[in-house]
Amino acid sequence: RGMVDLLVVVPHPDDESFGAGGALLLAKEAGLRTGVLTLTRGEAGRTLGLCPPEELPQVRVEELKRAAAVLQVDYLEVLDYPNALPEGAQGERGPATGRGLSDHPEAEEAVRERLLALRPRFVLTFPPDGINGHPDHVAASRYAREAAKGLAQVVYLVRPEGPLPVTHRLRLPEWALARKLQALAQHKTQALSVLAFMERHPQRLWTETFHLLGASGLREGPWW
């Protein structure tokens, strides 16, 4: 038995709560050990005036620690590969440089080292299109998928409307939704992203959808 059963591998602090907060809580309730690995510290995010830009990486790590505590995560690790701005975006430190996680293919080996040490049964990450095309999401998906070969079953957190078919749908009970909202609320510097998500996809707060690689059909409930 590994140190964790389910490891969420995502690029930024807050990705874990948006797409997989409910899955982490329900897996924990089912007796699984859970973990979160983020590949950047999210330094390209907004500060909302809550801290100077140079302090944002540390502030976001602290926000992630609080969110992980709410989600009752057993293992948390934050790597410090660079966080890219989406193309054309203007950051608080000036225009996007275009450099980010995709410029660091060695991150794949770093993920594989963690998988060898933690021995998760499942690796949960973004689908190949990153859900929203963000270059860090796309890169994290590729690194996680390649690193998991021969080691763990890959599960993608996907949009309910495709392009990948939903194989498992989790409808969160009230207690899990309440905790997921609490976890999202820890990411105070990213409050505008949280509000934008709530405005565009409110139903994804209480219904999480996944694609288990190699599975077909739709199942109501977890894949574990």
Side-chain angles (χ1 to χ4, degrees), residues 74-147:
D74 295 294
Y75 173 88
L76 175 65
E77 186 177 3
V78 183
L79 305 183
D80 59 359
Y81 292 102
N83 173 193
L85 279 164
E87 226 165 285
Q90 186 83 6
E92 293 186 17
R93 306 186 200 184
T97 62
R99 297 192 67 76
L101 193 53
S102 60
D103 298 299
H104 290 270
E106 71 275 15
E108 181 189 314
E109 186 53 38
V111 174
R112 191 165 177 88
E113 285 172 13
R114 271 66 182 183
L115 298 188
L116 286 166
L118 296 168
R119 293 286 174 187
R121 286 192 289 142
F122 301 103
V123 168
L124 179 56
T125 190
F126 284 111
D129 68 354
I131 280 193
N132 60 6
H134 190 299
D136 285 350
H137 290 201
V138 172
S141 173
R142 184 170 68 251
Y143 301 153
R145 182 174 65 253
E146 291 298 316

